[in-house]
Amino acid sequence: MRSNGTNNEAEVLTFSNREKRSGLEGASRQIEGKEMESCSTFSQANISIVIADSMAITSELLMQAFSQKPGFKIAGCPRNLDELVEIVSEHAPDVALIKSSDKKGTFTPLVILETIHNLCPSTRSIVLSSNTTREDIVAYFHAQARGILAADLTDFATLCRCIRSVYEGQIWASAKQLTYLIESLSGLKPMQIVNADGQMVLSAREQEVFRLLAEGRSNRAMATALKLSEHTIKNHLFHIFYKLGVSSRTEAILYGMRRRSLPEQKNAS
């Protein structure tokens, strides 16, 4: 896995949509359980950004920095919820940078994430925050964040790479953040995955494999637990990724967190 930035804070853990469309070779690396390298090239399209920050000074500094960086354009810098709704509704930005330390008011990261997702689901959100707890990280990803960065440890170059990665359809997460996601699933009822209509997506056996995947098990460990060959496990992972429309273990875990259902629902065939 390649570390992004000198502080080793963030790592790209998923494939981009472009890689997913290009074939199965890249996806097989995730099915094998191998860690991947992030994309070395990005599209040159101008990425529209909304900076949601209640502090004027920081949003203005970011806006000035992006104005001198080719490939980015600022759609707006809302400082409250009303301004956010107006800007997102009018501009439908590609990426939202959410820099807010307020966790109690009406302009908290969770409120901003929910508002953006409801107004413009295609906008991909990145949270810039200091002193995030384990609970914060899990909650932000569950609320559709596509990346989380430590605001006080991230330089501008790393932030730009994160934005381009998220714009390309990747999840930007550190190994520690991914561990928090996996640990958040332990001790819960068996995970059953449903689509937007509430219908079961995976077969009974695929559900078993997915449960072990969400626990962070390797292919070998899953094969041992289910008394199957590693080749069979790889086949199940291939079908799970295909059915969920994802291309990595990280995306599959995040999908599962957002599409949980009660155990009594009927399994897919």
Coordinates of all heavy atoms in Angstrom, one line a residue, residues 109-186:
P109 N -20.0 18.7 10.9 CA -19.7 17.8 9.8 C -20.8 16.8 9.4 O -21.1 16.6 8.2 CB -18.4 17.1 10.2 CG -17.8 18.0 11.2 CD -18.9 18.7 11.9
L110 N -21.4 16.2 10.4 CA -22.5 15.3 10.1 C -23.7 15.9 9.5 O -24.3 15.4 8.5 CB -22.9 14.5 11.4 CG -21.9 13.5 11.9 CD1 -22.4 12.9 13.3 CD2 -21.7 12.4 10.9
V111 N -24.1 17.1 9.9 CA -25.2 17.8 9.3 C -24.8 18.2 7.9 O -25.7 18.1 7.0 CB -25.5 19.1 10.2 CG1 -26.6 19.9 9.4 CG2 -26.1 18.7 11.5
I112 N -23.6 18.7 7.7 CA -23.2 19.1 6.4 C -23.2 17.9 5.4 O -23.6 18.0 4.3 CB -21.8 19.7 6.4 CG1 -21.8 21.0 7.2 CG2 -21.3 20.0 5.0 CD1 -20.5 21.6 7.6
L113 N -22.6 16.8 5.9 CA -22.6 15.6 5.1 C -24.0 15.1 4.6 O -24.3 14.8 3.5 CB -21.9 14.4 5.8 CG -20.4 14.5 5.9 CD1 -19.9 13.5 7.0 CD2 -19.7 14.2 4.6
E114 N -24.9 15.1 5.6 CA -26.3 14.7 5.3 C -27.0 15.7 4.3 O -27.6 15.2 3.4 CB -27.1 14.6 6.6 CG -28.5 14.2 6.4 CD -29.3 14.1 7.7 OE1 -28.7 14.4 8.8 OE2 -30.5 13.8 7.7
T115 N -26.7 17.0 4.5 CA -27.4 18.0 3.7 C -26.9 17.8 2.2 O -27.6 17.9 1.3 CB -27.0 19.4 4.2 OG1 -27.6 19.5 5.5 CG2 -27.7 20.4 3.3
I116 N -25.5 17.7 2.1 CA -25.0 17.6 0.8 C -25.5 16.3 0.1 O -25.8 16.3 -1.1 CB -23.4 17.6 0.8 CG1 -22.9 19.0 1.2 CG2 -22.8 17.2 -0.5 CD1 -21.4 19.0 1.5
H117 N -25.5 15.2 0.8 CA -25.9 13.9 0.2 C -27.4 14.0 -0.2 O -27.8 13.5 -1.3 CB -25.8 12.8 1.2 CG -26.2 11.5 0.6 ND1 -25.5 10.8 -0.4 CD2 -27.2 10.6 0.9 CE1 -26.0 9.7 -0.7 NE2 -27.1 9.6 0.1
N118 N -28.2 14.7 0.5 CA -29.6 14.8 0.2 C -29.8 15.7 -1.0 O -30.7 15.5 -1.9 CB -30.4 15.3 1.4 CG -30.6 14.3 2.5 OD1 -30.5 13.1 2.2 ND2 -30.8 14.7 3.7
L119 N -29.1 16.8 -1.1 CA -29.2 17.8 -2.2 C -28.6 17.3 -3.5 O -29.1 17.5 -4.5 CB -28.6 19.1 -1.7 CG -29.3 19.9 -0.7 CD1 -28.5 21.1 -0.3 CD2 -30.7 20.4 -1.2
C120 N -27.4 16.7 -3.4 CA -26.6 16.4 -4.6 C -25.8 15.1 -4.3 O -24.6 15.2 -3.9 CB -25.7 17.6 -5.0 SG -24.9 17.3 -6.5
P121 N -26.4 13.9 -4.4 CA -25.7 12.7 -4.1 C -24.4 12.5 -4.9 O -23.5 11.8 -4.5 CB -26.7 11.6 -4.5 CG -28.0 12.3 -4.4 CD -27.8 13.7 -4.8
S122 N -24.2 13.2 -6.0 CA -23.0 13.0 -6.8 C -21.8 13.8 -6.3 O -20.7 13.5 -6.7 CB -23.3 13.4 -8.3 OG -23.6 14.8 -8.3
T123 N -22.1 14.7 -5.4 CA -21.0 15.4 -4.8 C -20.3 14.5 -3.8 O -20.9 13.9 -2.9 CB -21.5 16.7 -4.0 OG1 -22.1 17.6 -5.0 CG2 -20.4 17.4 -3.4
R124 N -19.0 14.5 -3.9 CA -18.2 13.6 -3.0 C -17.5 14.4 -1.9 O -16.9 15.4 -2.2 CB -17.1 12.8 -3.8 CG -17.8 11.8 -4.7 CD -16.8 11.3 -5.7 NE -17.5 10.2 -6.5 CZ -17.3 10.0 -7.8 NH1 -16.4 10.7 -8.4 NH2 -17.9 9.0 -8.4
S125 N -17.7 14.0 -0.7 CA -17.3 14.9 0.5 C -16.0 14.4 1.1 O -15.8 13.2 1.3 CB -18.5 14.9 1.5 OG -19.6 15.6 1.0
I126 N -15.2 15.3 1.6 CA -14.0 15.1 2.3 C -14.1 15.9 3.6 O -14.3 17.1 3.6 CB -12.7 15.5 1.5 CG1 -12.7 14.7 0.2 CG2 -11.5 15.3 2.3 CD1 -11.6 15.3 -0.8
V127 N -13.8 15.3 4.7 CA -13.8 15.9 6.0 C -12.4 16.3 6.4 O -11.6 15.4 6.5 CB -14.5 15.1 7.1 CG1 -14.4 15.8 8.4 CG2 -16.0 14.8 6.7
L128 N -12.2 17.6 6.7 CA -10.9 18.0 7.2 C -11.2 18.4 8.7 O -11.9 19.4 9.0 CB -10.4 19.3 6.5 CG -9.7 19.1 5.1 CD1 -9.6 20.4 4.4 CD2 -8.4 18.5 5.3
S129 N -10.6 17.6 9.6 CA -10.9 17.9 11.0 C -9.8 17.4 11.9 O -9.0 16.5 11.6 CB -12.2 17.1 11.4 OG -12.6 17.4 12.7
S130 N -9.6 18.1 13.0 CA -8.6 17.8 13.9 C -9.2 17.1 15.1 O -10.4 17.3 15.4 CB -7.8 19.0 14.4 OG -7.2 19.7 13.3
N131 N -8.5 16.3 15.8 CA -9.0 15.6 17.0 C -10.2 14.8 16.8 O -11.1 14.8 17.6 CB -9.3 16.7 18.1 CG -8.1 17.5 18.5 OD1 -6.9 17.0 18.6 ND2 -8.3 18.8 18.6
T132 N -10.2 14.1 15.7 CA -11.3 13.2 15.4 C -11.2 11.9 16.3 O -10.1 11.4 16.4 CB -11.4 12.8 13.9 OG1 -10.1 12.3 13.5 CG2 -11.8 13.9 13.1
T133 N -12.3 11.5 16.8 CA -12.3 10.3 17.6 C -12.7 9.1 16.7 O -13.1 9.3 15.5 CB -13.4 10.4 18.7 OG1 -14.7 10.4 18.1 CG2 -13.2 11.6 19.6
R134 N -12.5 7.9 17.3 CA -12.9 6.7 16.5 C -14.4 6.8 16.1 O -14.7 6.4 15.0 CB -12.7 5.5 17.4 CG -13.1 4.1 16.8 CD -13.0 3.1 17.9 NE -11.7 3.0 18.5 CZ -10.9 2.0 18.3 NH1 -11.2 1.0 17.4 NH2 -9.7 1.9 18.9
E135 N -15.2 7.3 17.0 CA -16.7 7.4 16.7 C -16.9 8.4 15.6 O -17.8 8.2 14.8 CB -17.4 7.8 18.0 CG -17.5 6.7 19.1 CD -16.2 6.5 19.8 OE1 -15.3 7.4 19.8 OE2 -16.0 5.4 20.4
D136 N -16.2 9.5 15.6 CA -16.3 10.5 14.6 C -16.0 9.9 13.2 O -16.8 10.1 12.2 CB -15.4 11.7 14.8 CG -15.7 12.5 16.0 OD1 -16.9 12.5 16.4 OD2 -14.8 13.1 16.6
I137 N -14.9 9.2 13.1 CA -14.5 8.6 11.8 C -15.5 7.6 11.3 O -15.9 7.7 10.1 CB -13.1 7.9 12.0 CG1 -12.0 9.0 12.2 CG2 -12.8 7.0 10.8 CD1 -10.7 8.4 12.7
V138 N -16.0 6.7 12.1 CA -17.0 5.8 11.7 C -18.3 6.5 11.3 O -18.9 6.2 10.2 CB -17.3 4.7 12.8 CG1 -18.5 3.9 12.4 CG2 -16.1 3.9 13.1
A139 N -18.7 7.5 12.0 CA -19.9 8.2 11.7 C -19.8 9.0 10.4 O -20.7 9.1 9.6 CB -20.2 9.2 12.9
Y140 N -18.6 9.6 10.2 CA -18.4 10.4 8.9 C -18.5 9.5 7.7 O -19.1 9.8 6.7 CB -17.0 11.1 9.0 CG -16.9 12.2 10.0 CD1 -15.7 12.6 10.5 CD2 -18.1 12.8 10.6 CE1 -15.6 13.6 11.4 CE2 -18.0 13.7 11.5 CZ -16.7 14.2 12.0 OH -16.6 15.2 12.9
F141 N -17.8 8.3 7.8 CA -17.8 7.4 6.6 C -19.3 6.9 6.4 O -19.7 6.7 5.3 CB -16.9 6.3 6.8 CG -15.5 6.6 6.4 CD1 -14.4 6.5 7.3 CD2 -15.2 7.1 5.1 CE1 -13.1 6.8 6.9 CE2 -13.9 7.4 4.7 CZ -12.9 7.3 5.6
H142 N -19.9 6.6 7.5 CA -21.3 6.1 7.4 C -22.2 7.1 6.8 O -23.2 6.8 6.2 CB -21.8 5.7 8.8 CG -23.1 5.0 8.8 ND1 -23.2 3.7 8.4 CD2 -24.4 5.4 9.1 CE1 -24.5 3.3 8.5 NE2 -25.2 4.3 8.9
A143 N -21.9 8.4 7.0 CA -22.7 9.5 6.5 C -22.2 9.9 5.1 O -22.5 11.1 4.7 CB -22.6 10.7 7.4
Q144 N -21.6 9.1 4.4 CA -21.2 9.2 3.0 C -19.9 10.0 2.7 O -19.6 10.5 1.6 CB -22.3 9.9 2.2 CG -23.7 9.2 2.3 CD -23.7 7.8 1.7 OE1 -23.0 7.6 0.7 NE2 -24.6 7.0 2.1
A145 N -19.1 10.3 3.8 CA -17.8 10.9 3.5 C -17.0 9.9 2.6 O -17.0 8.7 2.8 CB -17.1 11.2 4.8
R146 N -16.2 10.5 1.7 CA -15.4 9.7 0.8 C -13.9 9.8 1.3 O -13.0 9.1 0.7 CB -15.5 10.2 -0.6 CG -16.9 10.1 -1.1 CD -17.5 8.8 -1.3 NE -16.8 8.0 -2.3 CZ -17.2 6.8 -2.7 NH1 -18.1 6.2 -2.0 NH2 -16.5 6.2 -3.7
G147 N -13.6 10.7 2.2 CA -12.3 10.8 2.7 C -12.2 11.6 4.0 O -13.1 12.4 4.2
I148 N -11.2 11.3 4.8 CA -11.1 12.1 6.1 C -9.6 12.4 6.2 O -8.7 11.5 6.1 CB -11.6 11.3 7.3 CG1 -13.0 10.9 7.2 CG2 -11.3 12.0 8.6 CD1 -13.6 10.0 8.3
L149 N -9.3 13.6 6.5 CA -7.9 14.1 6.6 C -7.8 14.9 7.9 O -8.7 15.6 8.4 CB -7.5 15.0 5.5 CG -7.2 14.3 4.1 CD1 -7.0 15.4 3.1 CD2 -6.0 13.4 4.2
A150 N -6.6 14.7 8.6 CA -6.3 15.5 9.8 C -5.9 16.9 9.3 O -4.9 17.1 8.6 CB -5.2 14.9 10.6
A151 N -6.7 17.9 9.7 CA -6.6 19.3 9.2 C -5.2 19.9 9.6 O -4.6 20.6 8.8 CB -7.7 20.2 9.7
D152 N -4.7 19.5 10.8 CA -3.5 20.1 11.3 C -2.2 19.3 10.8 O -1.1 19.8 11.1 CB -3.5 20.1 12.8 CG -3.8 18.8 13.4 OD1 -4.3 17.9 12.7 OD2 -3.6 18.6 14.7
L153 N -2.4 18.2 10.1 CA -1.3 17.4 9.7 C -1.2 17.3 8.1 O -0.2 16.6 7.6 CB -1.3 16.0 10.3 CG -1.2 15.9 11.8 CD1 -1.4 14.5 12.3 CD2 0.1 16.5 12.3
T154 N -2.1 17.9 7.4 CA -2.2 17.7 6.0 C -1.7 18.9 5.2 O -2.2 20.0 5.4 CB -3.6 17.4 5.6 OG1 -4.1 16.2 6.2 CG2 -3.7 17.1 4.1
D155 N -0.7 18.7 4.4 CA -0.2 19.8 3.6 C -1.1 20.0 2.3 O -1.9 19.1 2.0 CB 1.3 19.6 3.2 CG 1.6 18.3 2.4 OD1 0.8 18.0 1.5 OD2 2.6 17.7 2.7
F156 N -0.9 21.1 1.6 CA -1.8 21.4 0.5 C -1.6 20.4 -0.6 O -2.6 20.0 -1.3 CB -1.5 22.8 0.0 CG -2.5 23.3 -1.1 CD1 -3.8 23.5 -0.8 CD2 -2.0 23.5 -2.4 CE1 -4.7 23.9 -1.8 CE2 -2.9 23.9 -3.4 CZ -4.2 24.1 -3.1
A157 N -0.4 19.9 -0.9 CA -0.2 19.0 -2.0 C -0.9 17.7 -1.7 O -1.5 17.1 -2.6 CB 1.3 18.7 -2.1
T158 N -0.9 17.2 -0.4 CA -1.6 16.0 -0.1 C -3.1 16.2 -0.2 O -3.9 15.3 -0.7 CB -1.3 15.6 1.4 OG1 0.1 15.3 1.5 CG2 -2.1 14.3 1.8
L159 N -3.6 17.4 0.2 CA -5.0 17.7 0.0 C -5.4 17.6 -1.4 O -6.5 17.1 -1.7 CB -5.3 19.1 0.6 CG -6.7 19.6 0.5 CD1 -7.7 18.7 1.1 CD2 -6.9 21.0 1.0
C160 N -4.6 18.2 -2.3 CA -5.0 18.1 -3.7 C -5.0 16.7 -4.3 O -5.9 16.4 -5.1 CB -3.9 19.0 -4.5 SG -4.1 20.7 -4.3
R161 N -4.1 15.9 -3.8 CA -4.1 14.5 -4.2 C -5.3 13.8 -3.7 O -6.0 13.0 -4.4 CB -2.8 13.8 -3.8 CG -1.6 14.1 -4.5 CD -0.5 13.1 -4.3 NE -0.1 13.0 -2.9 CZ 0.8 13.8 -2.3 NH1 1.5 14.7 -3.0 NH2 1.2 13.6 -1.0
C162 N -5.7 14.1 -2.5 CA -6.9 13.5 -1.9 C -8.1 13.9 -2.7 O -9.0 13.1 -3.1 CB -7.1 13.9 -0.5 SG -8.6 13.4 0.3
I163 N -8.2 15.2 -3.1 CA -9.4 15.7 -3.9 C -9.5 14.9 -5.2 O -10.6 14.5 -5.6 CB -9.3 17.2 -4.0 CG1 -9.5 17.9 -2.7 CG2 -10.4 17.7 -5.1 CD1 -9.2 19.4 -2.8
R164 N -8.3 14.8 -5.9 CA -8.4 14.2 -7.2 C -8.7 12.7 -7.1 O -9.4 12.2 -7.9 CB -7.0 14.4 -7.9 CG -6.8 15.8 -8.4 CD -5.7 15.9 -9.4 NE -5.5 17.2 -10.0 CZ -6.3 17.8 -10.9 NH1 -7.2 17.1 -11.4 NH2 -6.0 19.0 -11.3
S165 N -8.2 12.1 -6.0 CA -8.5 10.6 -5.8 C -10.0 10.4 -5.6 O -10.6 9.6 -6.2 CB -7.7 10.1 -4.6 OG -6.3 10.1 -4.9
V166 N -10.5 11.3 -4.7 CA -12.0 11.2 -4.4 C -12.8 11.5 -5.6 O -13.8 10.8 -5.9 CB -12.3 12.1 -3.2 CG1 -13.8 12.2 -3.0 CG2 -11.7 11.5 -1.9
Y167 N -12.4 12.5 -6.4 CA -13.1 12.9 -7.6 C -13.1 11.7 -8.6 O -14.1 11.5 -9.3 CB -12.4 14.1 -8.2 CG -12.9 14.5 -9.6 CD1 -14.1 15.1 -9.8 CD2 -12.1 14.2 -10.7 CE1 -14.6 15.5 -11.0 CE2 -12.6 14.6 -12.0 CZ -13.8 15.2 -12.1 OH -14.2 15.6 -13.4
E168 N -12.0 10.9 -8.6 CA -11.9 9.8 -9.5 C -12.7 8.6 -9.0 O -12.8 7.5 -9.7 CB -10.4 9.4 -9.7 CG -9.6 10.4 -10.5 CD -9.9 10.2 -12.0 OE1 -10.1 9.1 -12.4 OE2 -9.8 11.3 -12.7
G169 N -13.3 8.7 -7.8 CA -14.2 7.6 -7.3 C -13.5 6.7 -6.3 O -14.0 5.7 -6.0
Q170 N -12.4 7.2 -5.7 CA -11.7 6.4 -4.7 C -12.2 6.8 -3.3 O -12.7 7.9 -3.1 CB -10.2 6.6 -4.8 CG -9.7 6.0 -6.2 CD -8.2 6.3 -6.3 OE1 -7.6 6.9 -5.5 NE2 -7.6 5.8 -7.4
I171 N -11.9 5.9 -2.3 CA -12.0 6.2 -0.9 C -10.6 6.6 -0.4 O -9.7 5.9 -0.6 CB -12.6 5.0 -0.1 CG1 -13.9 4.6 -0.7 CG2 -12.7 5.4 1.4 CD1 -15.0 5.5 -0.5
W172 N -10.5 7.7 0.3 CA -9.2 8.1 0.9 C -9.3 7.9 2.4 O -10.0 8.5 3.1 CB -9.0 9.6 0.6 CG -7.6 10.1 1.0 CD1 -7.3 10.5 2.3 CD2 -6.5 10.3 0.2 NE1 -5.9 10.9 2.3 CE2 -5.5 10.8 1.0 CE3 -6.3 10.1 -1.2 CZ2 -4.2 11.1 0.5 CZ3 -5.0 10.4 -1.7 CH2 -4.0 10.9 -0.9
A173 N -8.6 6.8 2.9 CA -8.7 6.5 4.3 C -7.3 5.9 4.7 O -6.6 5.3 3.9 CB -9.7 5.4 4.5
S174 N -7.0 6.2 5.9 CA -5.7 5.6 6.5 C -6.0 4.2 6.9 O -7.1 3.7 7.1 CB -5.2 6.4 7.6 OG -6.1 6.3 8.7
A175 N -4.9 3.4 7.2 CA -5.1 2.1 7.7 C -5.8 2.1 9.0 O -6.6 1.2 9.3 CB -3.7 1.4 7.7
K176 N -5.4 3.1 9.8 CA -6.1 3.1 11.2 C -7.6 3.4 11.0 O -8.4 2.8 11.7 CB -5.4 4.3 12.0 CG -6.0 4.4 13.4 CD -5.4 5.6 14.1 CE -4.0 5.3 14.5 NZ -3.4 6.3 15.4
Q177 N -8.0 4.3 10.1 CA -9.4 4.5 9.9 C -10.1 3.3 9.4 O -11.3 3.0 9.8 CB -9.6 5.7 8.9 CG -9.1 7.0 9.4 CD -9.0 8.1 8.4 OE1 -9.1 7.8 7.2 NE2 -8.7 9.3 8.8
L178 N -9.5 2.5 8.5 CA -10.1 1.3 8.0 C -10.3 0.3 9.2 O -11.3 -0.4 9.3 CB -9.3 0.7 6.9 CG -9.8 -0.6 6.3 CD1 -11.2 -0.4 5.8 CD2 -8.9 -1.1 5.2
T179 N -9.3 0.3 10.1 CA -9.4 -0.6 11.2 C -10.6 -0.2 12.1 O -11.3 -1.1 12.6 CB -8.1 -0.5 12.1 OG1 -7.0 -1.0 11.3 CG2 -8.2 -1.4 13.3
Y180 N -10.8 1.1 12.3 CA -11.9 1.5 13.1 C -13.2 1.0 12.4 O -14.2 0.6 13.1 CB -11.9 3.1 13.1 CG -10.9 3.7 14.0 CD1 -10.5 5.0 13.9 CD2 -10.1 2.9 14.9 CE1 -9.5 5.6 14.6 CE2 -9.1 3.5 15.6 CZ -8.8 4.8 15.5 OH -7.8 5.4 16.3
L181 N -13.3 1.1 11.1 CA -14.5 0.7 10.4 C -14.8 -0.8 10.6 O -15.9 -1.2 10.9 CB -14.4 1.0 8.9 CG -14.5 2.4 8.5 CD1 -14.2 2.5 7.0 CD2 -15.8 3.0 8.8
I182 N -13.7 -1.6 10.5 CA -13.8 -3.1 10.7 C -14.2 -3.4 12.1 O -15.1 -4.2 12.4 CB -12.5 -3.8 10.3 CG1 -12.3 -3.7 8.8 CG2 -12.6 -5.2 10.8 CD1 -10.9 -4.2 8.4
E183 N -13.6 -2.7 13.1 CA -13.9 -3.0 14.5 C -15.3 -2.5 14.9 O -15.9 -3.1 15.8 CB -12.9 -2.2 15.4 CG -11.5 -2.8 15.3 CD -10.5 -2.1 16.2 OE1 -10.8 -0.9 16.6 OE2 -9.3 -2.5 16.4
S184 N -15.8 -1.5 14.2 CA -17.2 -1.1 14.4 C -18.2 -2.1 14.1 O -19.4 -2.0 14.6 CB -17.5 0.2 13.7 OG -17.6 0.0 12.3
L185 N -17.8 -3.1 13.2 CA -18.8 -4.1 12.8 C -18.8 -5.3 13.7 O -19.7 -6.1 13.6 CB -18.5 -4.5 11.4 CG -18.5 -3.4 10.3 CD1 -18.1 -4.0 9.0 CD2 -19.9 -2.9 10.2
S186 N -17.7 -5.4 14.5 CA -17.6 -6.6 15.4 C -18.7 -6.6 16.5 O -19.0 -5.5 17.0 CB -16.2 -6.7 16.0 OG -16.0 -5.6 16.9

